[in-house]
Amino acid sequence: MYLEKLKELVQEGVTDKAFPGATYAIVLPDAIYTDFVGDKSWYPNVEPNTIDTIYDMASVTKVMTTTTCILKLLEFGKVRLFSKVSNFLPRFKHQNIVLWHLLTHTSGLREGLPGVTKIKSSEEAWDKAYDMELIYEPGTKIQYSDVNYILLGKIIEVVSGLSLDEFAKKYIYEPCKMKDTCFNPKDIKRCAPTEERNDEIVQGIVRGHVHDEAAYILGGVAGHAGMFSTANDVANFIQMILNKGVFKNKRVLSGQIVDLLYKPQVAQQIGVSLIPQRRGIGWIVNDYNSNAGDLVSDETITHTGFTGTNVWIDRINQVGFCLLSNRVHPTRANLKHMELRPKVANYIMAHLEEIKKEIQNGN
């Protein structure tokens, strides 16, 4: 009954045209429940959705892939949070910026690459990233920046000797049995299309290629965006985190690393609210106006993706959730999904015990 009501709530997103369709998963330490609604495509043709639809995860790439890869390098003793960025990227001119600044979005770098839809090559993109001026003093405020994670992706490659997608596949995707998670997917028909672009670089509906303009010009593999995945695969990752770094009896991350993910690193006051904006290493740690709603515990990590994806993992209540959609199809001029996300989370948390029982009973 409760799982049926949850599906009706997600279906309201389709009815309200918040997105063409969605897949989602409720994750417990010992069980996973997945379902789907709607269509994966509205334009140029209507195509029904399935649980196996592959979605462009957009900025969820930052936490599931890039943050996790950086922390694997920390496990290997190859980096530390306060290593200077310029130690790994000599062309990066800001000597006072460390990995911690990039991971917590406190670097002082601007949000994205300037003139991104007019950049013609990856070389030009890297010139802009390395030469970018700061817009505030590092460590003095929180300001979300794709550039932070573009740089982190490159650092992973420099330190490991592998491309970002190769490193992630070896140390995250394969150990977590994330069989459909990748960059630059080959099975285009299974991918949900995203936005219609008509700029100097791309014309037409983007499908099977990364939606993010900077990641696109960087060849589809970048630290801030480019990962594609399914609800089943994301659920496996969430379950690994809930089990303190272990998936199917195999350790993927150390328990200390998982603990670190839940430790707030920076906070910024929002007006008179007693709940500040809080970030940890990569992830948002349950903060003001969270996409995880109003009922999750303080030990909840969350992140969203511009294309219409979100993930949250509450380790006190031992539950995680992901909702994957292509809300930018066929246009990004649609923000209705932002109101639905916390409502769905509130429903899950308000009825968590009943939902857990239904999942455990195989309903």
Side-chain angles (χ1 to χ4, degrees), residues 194-206:
T194 54
E195 193 170 24
E196 183 174 20
R197 284 180 62 181
N198 288 290
D199 53 51
E200 295 183 23
I201 308 300
V202 179
Q203 293 79 42
I205 293 286
V206 177

Side-chain angles (χ1 to χ4, degrees), residues 40-101:
K40 68 179 175 187
S41 173
W42 276 343
Y43 179 80
N45 300 306
V46 174
E47 298 175 41
N49 207 7
T50 72
I51 194 59
D52 293 323
T53 295
I54 298 171
Y55 283 93
D56 181 338
M57 298 298 294
S59 284
V60 174
T61 304
K62 291 180 172 74
V63 288
M64 283 184 57
T65 293
T66 309
T67 295
T68 313
C69 288
I70 287 287
L71 293 177
K72 287 300 296 183
L73 292 176
L74 188 150
E75 278 189 12
F76 296 156
K78 300 296 186 181
V79 303
R80 64 183 300 254
L81 295 180
F82 291 90
S83 298
K84 288 185 176 183
V85 173
S86 59
N87 288 351
F88 311 108
L89 306 177
R91 285 187 58 198
F92 184 68
K93 66 182 184 179
H94 302 290
Q95 298 295 312
N96 57 338
I97 294 179
V98 299
L99 299 190
W100 182 87
H101 290 127

Side-chain angles (χ1 to χ4, degrees), residues 138-195:
T140 60
K141 64 186 289 188
I142 302 170
Q143 185 160 319
Y144 188 79
S145 169
D146 283 345
V147 182
N148 291 333
Y149 271 78
I150 291 173
L151 295 169
L152 286 167
K154 177 62 74 174
I155 289 169
I156 291 162
E157 295 185 342
V158 169
V159 174
S160 72
L162 298 173
S163 64
L164 175 62
D165 54 337
E166 290 171 337
F167 188 89
K169 181 178 180 180
K170 182 175 182 178
Y171 292 106
I172 306 168
Y173 306 160
E174 288 184 343
C176 289
K177 308 297 183 187
M178 298 165 68
K179 61 184 178 65
D180 292 313
T181 303
C182 63
F183 293 76
N184 292 321
K186 293 182 173 60
D187 196 346
I188 304 300
K189 290 183 179 179
R190 282 181 58 197
C191 295
T194 54
E195 193 170 24

Side-chain angles (χ1 to χ4, degrees), residues 157-298:
E157 295 185 342
V158 169
V159 174
S160 72
L162 298 173
S163 64
L164 175 62
D165 54 337
E166 290 171 337
F167 188 89
K169 181 178 180 180
K170 182 175 182 178
Y171 292 106
I172 306 168
Y173 306 160
E174 288 184 343
C176 289
K177 308 297 183 187
M178 298 165 68
K179 61 184 178 65
D180 292 313
T181 303
C182 63
F183 293 76
N184 292 321
K186 293 182 173 60
D187 196 346
I188 304 300
K189 290 183 179 179
R190 282 181 58 197
C191 295
T194 54
E195 193 170 24
E196 183 174 20
R197 284 180 62 181
N198 288 290
D199 53 51
E200 295 183 23
I201 308 300
V202 179
Q203 293 79 42
I205 293 286
V206 177
R207 183 171 191 172
H209 301 283
V210 63
H211 170 266
D212 180 89
E213 295 91 346
Y216 187 93
I217 208 68
L218 290 169
V221 181
H224 70 297
M227 182 183 79
F228 285 72
S229 194
T230 63
N232 285 299
D233 280 8
V234 176
N236 286 358
F237 180 91
I238 293 171
Q239 194 171 66
M240 180 270 292
I241 298 295
L242 287 175
N243 285 305
K244 211 166 183 179
V246 174
F247 182 75
K248 303 294 186 187
N249 298 314
K250 181 175 182 178
R251 182 159 294 284
V252 180
L253 290 174
S254 74
Q256 290 84 353
I257 291 294
V258 175
D259 288 342
L260 179 63
L261 293 178
Y262 284 88
K263 183 179 180 181
Q265 300 287 320
V266 292
Q268 193 164 275
Q269 198 63 35
I270 308 295
V272 297
S273 173
L274 294 177
I275 305 173
Q277 178 186 5
R278 299 193 306 172
R279 283 193 171 270
I281 300 301
W283 295 82
I284 300 166
V285 182
N286 191 39
D287 70 350
Y288 178 84
N289 194 23
S290 172
N291 72 88
D294 313 301
L295 303 177
V296 293
S297 79
D298 284 344

